[in-house]
Amino acid sequence: MSSVLTIRGGVPLAGRVTVRGAKNLVPKAMVAALLGNEPSVLRNVPEIKDVEVVTSLLQLHGVTVEKDPVTGDLTLDPTKAKTASHTAIDAHAGDSRIPILLCGPLIHAIGEAFIPDLGGCKIGDRPIDYHLNVLRQFGAVVEKRPGGIHISAPDGLKGAKISLPYPSVGATEQVLLSATRAEGITELSGAATEPEIVDLIAVLQKMGAIISVQTDRTIRIEGVPDLGGYNHRALSDRNESASWASAALVTRGDIFVEGATQRDMMTFLNTYRKVGGGMDIGDDGIRFYHKGGKLNPLVLETDVHPGFMTDWQQPLIVALTQAEGVSIVHETVYENRFGFTEALIRMGANIQVHRECLGSVPCRFGQRNFLHSAVISGPTQLTGADIDVPDLRGGFSHLIAALAANGTSRVTGIDIINRGYERFTEKLAGLGADFDITAAK
Ligand code: EPU
């Protein structure tokens, strides 16, 4: 049943939270296990919705997924992989975007794949054309069927020379998961190189894949006929870490994020410092805190790695509502990721969204009628409001705005936040937040 969070704002969040494996790696590493001819072990696995969805989809395809009751580590055994019923797969329609990544591994394991209609956050159209083009270039036959897409490869997948029109994270992963066991060499240009992708490459290399990443966004994969299993500790979730960092700033708090890693967050940390946030970088995590003085406005552009990640933008914008002056955020990864600002405006924030590219570099959304640049004027006092969570990162932003606001907020739709923030209400309670959870009427 869905729940309602009643938040009494104004309490600085202080204490410690632990961040585990990355939402944007763990489900994909689980999919990679399907490519092996023996079991794999994945460690540092968070309890989030995408892990449940992929567990269920793998089980439907005959993969045994066992969870260690103490550590939560997963052992995935693909040796009895089999075709699943379309009706059972279809039950997962709309749950997540990860199923599209099962295509290559399923074709290698059982000769075909049926993928339900996809879900994921509503932050734009989120098409899958790059994925389907990539699969076709490997020689796959893609057919639309009721409730989903059927993909087969009568002659097996063959290595290909592929160029992505944009460095898409998912399409790069599609190539990696399809090419490692394809016949011959694959060269991918215009690849995304996010740390989660590099970690997926590490997983595949442990399994026996031959993959090299060049400095010019080219990835070269030499196909091998068979892969073994892996034993891997997932990299930490830098998006969750950045969210708690912004929560510390917004609530004038002090949070030690155990598991936050400097190497994967350098661009975020530079920005956090420019805004005026305090940080102590340690070996096992990073302390993020409000230094007590004013926050500084800034001009920011989201981008693919190593740029400022799109998922960091929403929580940071809440902090920018408290900065002295005018900030500009130009979103260049998704065309429609400012819907969440509407609730912030109702809470008292001064934010305008524009169709123009208000950044140093025009992006592919300019002149196309997308509200993809935001101007934030601060500081403004936020006041509690009724909010229905629109998407994962936008929802977390609403939550921290409510935690900093004067008065009480009533937040519905919080199940969406569980998709990417493990046990977030427990973590909030541990940080001293003042809230109740009740069942929605
Ligand atoms: N795109 C297309 N066609 C495609 C695929 C992508 O036009 O076939 C476009 C998208 O519409 C978007 C851009 O390419 O404008 C980039 O999308 P990308 O494929 O890189 O995103 P994704 O793989 O679907 C992952 C994360 C997102 C994260 C983005 C960008 C997962 C499960 N999701 O999405 O995470 O924002 O990369 O880094 O890994 C989140 O965590 O809240 C989240 C949305």
Side-chain angles (χ1 to χ4, degrees), residues 97 127 130-131 164-174 188 190-194 197 304:
R97 277 180 71 78
Y130 301 168
H131 292 258
L164 289 179
Y166 182 78
S168 151
V169 169
T172 301
E173 292 160 343
Q174 185 73 262
L188 172 67
T193 57
E194 267 61 9
I197 290 176
V304 293

mmCIF file of all heavy atoms in Angstrom, residues 97 127 130-131 164-174 188 190-194 197 304:
data_model
loop_
_atom_site.group_PDB
_atom_site.id
_atom_site.type_symbol
_atom_site.label_atom_id
_atom_site.label_comp_id
_atom_site.label_asym_id
_atom_site.label_seq_id
_atom_site.Cartn_x
_atom_site.Cartn_y
_atom_site.Cartn_z
ATOM 1 N N ARG A 97 13.446 0.320 -16.662
ATOM 2 C CA ARG A 97 14.047 0.351 -18.005
ATOM 3 C C ARG A 97 15.089 -0.744 -18.196
ATOM 4 O O ARG A 97 15.577 -0.972 -19.302
ATOM 5 C CB ARG A 97 14.708 1.715 -18.242
ATOM 6 C CG ARG A 97 13.734 2.766 -18.694
ATOM 7 C CD ARG A 97 14.397 4.084 -18.928
ATOM 8 N NE ARG A 97 15.258 4.139 -20.093
ATOM 9 C CZ ARG A 97 14.818 4.256 -21.347
ATOM 10 N NH1 ARG A 97 13.537 4.288 -21.585
ATOM 11 N NH2 ARG A 97 15.661 4.327 -22.342
ATOM 12 N N PRO A 127 13.203 7.330 -25.337
ATOM 13 C CA PRO A 127 13.047 6.334 -26.394
ATOM 14 C C PRO A 127 14.078 5.203 -26.280
ATOM 15 O O PRO A 127 15.029 5.301 -25.494
ATOM 16 C CB PRO A 127 13.302 7.148 -27.668
ATOM 17 C CG PRO A 127 14.078 8.335 -27.236
ATOM 18 C CD PRO A 127 13.772 8.592 -25.801
ATOM 19 N N TYR A 130 18.110 3.908 -29.950
ATOM 20 C CA TYR A 130 19.541 3.578 -30.011
ATOM 21 C C TYR A 130 19.731 2.085 -29.712
ATOM 22 O O TYR A 130 20.532 1.411 -30.347
ATOM 23 C CB TYR A 130 20.367 4.358 -28.981
ATOM 24 C CG TYR A 130 20.337 5.866 -29.057
ATOM 25 C CD1 TYR A 130 20.863 6.625 -28.011
ATOM 26 C CD2 TYR A 130 19.821 6.548 -30.156
ATOM 27 C CE1 TYR A 130 20.867 8.007 -28.044
ATOM 28 C CE2 TYR A 130 19.808 7.928 -30.200
ATOM 29 C CZ TYR A 130 20.328 8.652 -29.132
ATOM 30 O OH TYR A 130 20.317 10.022 -29.162
ATOM 31 N N HIS A 131 18.986 1.605 -28.711
ATOM 32 C CA HIS A 131 19.124 0.182 -28.314
ATOM 33 C C HIS A 131 18.768 -0.730 -29.480
ATOM 34 O O HIS A 131 19.486 -1.682 -29.787
ATOM 35 C CB HIS A 131 18.196 -0.132 -27.137
ATOM 36 C CG HIS A 131 18.580 0.552 -25.872
ATOM 37 N ND1 HIS A 131 19.239 -0.082 -24.850
ATOM 38 C CD2 HIS A 131 18.412 1.832 -25.452
ATOM 39 C CE1 HIS A 131 19.455 0.755 -23.857
ATOM 40 N NE2 HIS A 131 18.942 1.933 -24.198
ATOM 41 N N LEU A 164 27.388 5.800 -31.845
ATOM 42 C CA LEU A 164 26.175 6.319 -31.197
ATOM 43 C C LEU A 164 26.014 7.801 -31.514
ATOM 44 O O LEU A 164 26.993 8.559 -31.466
ATOM 45 C CB LEU A 164 26.265 6.138 -29.679
ATOM 46 C CG LEU A 164 26.160 4.704 -29.155
ATOM 47 C CD1 LEU A 164 26.294 4.695 -27.634
ATOM 48 C CD2 LEU A 164 24.845 4.064 -29.580
ATOM 49 N N PRO A 165 24.781 8.257 -31.789
ATOM 50 C CA PRO A 165 24.566 9.677 -32.065
ATOM 51 C C PRO A 165 24.748 10.544 -30.817
ATOM 52 O O PRO A 165 24.962 11.750 -30.913
ATOM 53 C CB PRO A 165 23.109 9.745 -32.541
ATOM 54 C CG PRO A 165 22.507 8.412 -32.284
ATOM 55 C CD PRO A 165 23.589 7.439 -31.935
ATOM 56 N N TYR A 166 24.643 9.917 -29.632
ATOM 57 C CA TYR A 166 24.803 10.627 -28.361
ATOM 58 C C TYR A 166 25.373 9.585 -27.379
ATOM 59 O O TYR A 166 24.982 8.415 -27.449
ATOM 60 C CB TYR A 166 23.429 11.142 -27.872
ATOM 61 C CG TYR A 166 23.505 11.933 -26.596
ATOM 62 C CD1 TYR A 166 23.929 13.256 -26.602
ATOM 63 C CD2 TYR A 166 23.176 11.345 -25.376
ATOM 64 C CE1 TYR A 166 24.027 13.975 -25.420
ATOM 65 C CE2 TYR A 166 23.270 12.073 -24.193
ATOM 66 C CZ TYR A 166 23.697 13.384 -24.224
ATOM 67 O OH TYR A 166 23.799 14.101 -23.059
ATOM 68 N N PRO A 167 26.270 10.001 -26.459
ATOM 69 C CA PRO A 167 26.886 9.002 -25.565
ATOM 70 C C PRO A 167 25.893 8.472 -24.519
ATOM 71 O O PRO A 167 25.973 8.781 -23.337
ATOM 72 C CB PRO A 167 28.033 9.757 -24.895
ATOM 73 C CG PRO A 167 28.141 11.063 -25.587
ATOM 74 C CD PRO A 167 26.825 11.349 -26.254
ATOM 75 N N SER A 168 24.952 7.678 -24.989
ATOM 76 C CA SER A 168 23.910 7.123 -24.120
ATOM 77 C C SER A 168 24.479 6.037 -23.210
ATOM 78 O O SER A 168 25.180 5.133 -23.674
ATOM 79 C CB SER A 168 22.796 6.555 -25.005
ATOM 80 O OG SER A 168 22.137 5.484 -24.373
ATOM 81 N N VAL A 169 24.150 6.133 -21.927
ATOM 82 C CA VAL A 169 24.604 5.137 -20.950
ATOM 83 C C VAL A 169 24.010 3.773 -21.308
ATOM 84 O O VAL A 169 24.723 2.780 -21.467
ATOM 85 C CB VAL A 169 24.171 5.570 -19.520
ATOM 86 C CG1 VAL A 169 24.383 4.458 -18.512
ATOM 87 C CG2 VAL A 169 24.925 6.828 -19.106
ATOM 88 N N GLY A 170 22.690 3.728 -21.466
ATOM 89 C CA GLY A 170 22.023 2.449 -21.716
ATOM 90 C C GLY A 170 22.470 1.816 -23.029
ATOM 91 O O GLY A 170 22.714 0.602 -23.087
ATOM 92 N N ALA A 171 22.605 2.615 -24.095
ATOM 93 C CA ALA A 171 22.986 2.033 -25.383
ATOM 94 C C ALA A 171 24.424 1.515 -25.329
ATOM 95 O O ALA A 171 24.745 0.490 -25.934
ATOM 96 C CB ALA A 171 22.807 3.061 -26.494
ATOM 97 N N THR A 172 25.291 2.210 -24.587
ATOM 98 C CA THR A 172 26.671 1.718 -24.427
ATOM 99 C C THR A 172 26.649 0.364 -23.711
ATOM 100 O O THR A 172 27.344 -0.580 -24.103
ATOM 101 C CB THR A 172 27.511 2.747 -23.631
ATOM 102 O OG1 THR A 172 27.507 3.988 -24.347
ATOM 103 C CG2 THR A 172 28.943 2.280 -23.429
ATOM 104 N N GLU A 173 25.813 0.264 -22.682
ATOM 105 C CA GLU A 173 25.710 -1.015 -21.955
ATOM 106 C C GLU A 173 25.132 -2.109 -22.848
ATOM 107 O O GLU A 173 25.541 -3.269 -22.770
ATOM 108 C CB GLU A 173 24.852 -0.816 -20.700
ATOM 109 C CG GLU A 173 25.557 0.069 -19.692
ATOM 110 C CD GLU A 173 24.645 0.707 -18.666
ATOM 111 O OE1 GLU A 173 23.408 0.758 -18.880
ATOM 112 O OE2 GLU A 173 25.160 1.181 -17.646
ATOM 113 N N GLN A 174 24.177 -1.706 -23.697
ATOM 114 C CA GLN A 174 23.596 -2.673 -24.646
ATOM 115 C C GLN A 174 24.708 -3.263 -25.526
ATOM 116 O O GLN A 174 24.763 -4.479 -25.736
ATOM 117 C CB GLN A 174 22.566 -1.932 -25.506
ATOM 118 C CG GLN A 174 21.777 -2.766 -26.454
ATOM 119 C CD GLN A 174 20.748 -3.622 -25.729
ATOM 120 O OE1 GLN A 174 20.993 -4.800 -25.483
ATOM 121 N NE2 GLN A 174 19.618 -3.046 -25.383
ATOM 122 N N LEU A 188 32.928 0.476 -30.808
ATOM 123 C CA LEU A 188 31.852 1.431 -30.508
ATOM 124 C C LEU A 188 32.450 2.826 -30.379
ATOM 125 O O LEU A 188 33.292 3.063 -29.500
ATOM 126 C CB LEU A 188 31.159 1.036 -29.196
ATOM 127 C CG LEU A 188 30.144 2.057 -28.655
ATOM 128 C CD1 LEU A 188 28.929 2.158 -29.575
ATOM 129 C CD2 LEU A 188 29.697 1.683 -27.248
ATOM 130 N N GLY A 190 31.677 7.067 -29.819
ATOM 131 C CA GLY A 190 30.648 7.913 -29.185
ATOM 132 C C GLY A 190 30.068 7.240 -27.948
ATOM 133 O O GLY A 190 28.902 7.454 -27.598
ATOM 134 N N ALA A 191 30.875 6.428 -27.265
ATOM 135 C CA ALA A 191 30.382 5.681 -26.091
ATOM 136 C C ALA A 191 30.298 6.572 -24.851
ATOM 137 O O ALA A 191 31.036 7.552 -24.729
ATOM 138 C CB ALA A 191 31.316 4.513 -25.796
ATOM 139 N N ALA A 192 29.413 6.219 -23.939
ATOM 140 C CA ALA A 192 29.394 6.845 -22.612
ATOM 141 C C ALA A 192 30.473 6.153 -21.775
ATOM 142 O O ALA A 192 30.750 4.965 -21.972
ATOM 143 C CB ALA A 192 28.026 6.673 -21.971
ATOM 144 N N THR A 193 31.059 6.910 -20.837
ATOM 145 C CA THR A 193 32.154 6.336 -20.032
ATOM 146 C C THR A 193 31.926 6.588 -18.538
ATOM 147 O O THR A 193 32.875 6.796 -17.786
ATOM 148 C CB THR A 193 33.508 6.938 -20.460
ATOM 149 O OG1 THR A 193 33.407 8.370 -20.304
ATOM 150 C CG2 THR A 193 33.859 6.603 -21.899
ATOM 151 N N GLU A 194 30.662 6.604 -18.130
ATOM 152 C CA GLU A 194 30.331 6.821 -16.717
ATOM 153 C C GLU A 194 31.035 5.762 -15.838
ATOM 154 O O GLU A 194 31.256 4.630 -16.308
ATOM 155 C CB GLU A 194 28.811 6.684 -16.537
ATOM 156 C CG GLU A 194 27.992 7.959 -16.634
ATOM 157 C CD GLU A 194 28.072 8.690 -17.975
ATOM 158 O OE1 GLU A 194 28.640 8.139 -18.932
ATOM 159 O OE2 GLU A 194 27.584 9.818 -18.061
ATOM 160 N N ILE A 197 29.626 2.402 -16.000
ATOM 161 C CA ILE A 197 29.950 1.628 -17.214
ATOM 162 C C ILE A 197 31.323 0.981 -17.054
ATOM 163 O O ILE A 197 31.520 -0.192 -17.382
ATOM 164 C CB ILE A 197 29.897 2.545 -18.455
ATOM 165 C CG1 ILE A 197 28.436 2.919 -18.713
ATOM 166 C CG2 ILE A 197 30.512 1.871 -19.672
ATOM 167 C CD1 ILE A 197 28.210 3.884 -19.833
ATOM 168 N N VAL A 304 27.184 14.469 -19.914
ATOM 169 C CA VAL A 304 27.631 13.091 -19.687
ATOM 170 C C VAL A 304 28.966 13.140 -18.948
ATOM 171 O O VAL A 304 29.637 14.177 -18.931
ATOM 172 C CB VAL A 304 27.776 12.321 -21.025
ATOM 173 C CG1 VAL A 304 26.427 12.115 -21.664
ATOM 174 C CG2 VAL A 304 28.708 13.048 -21.990
#
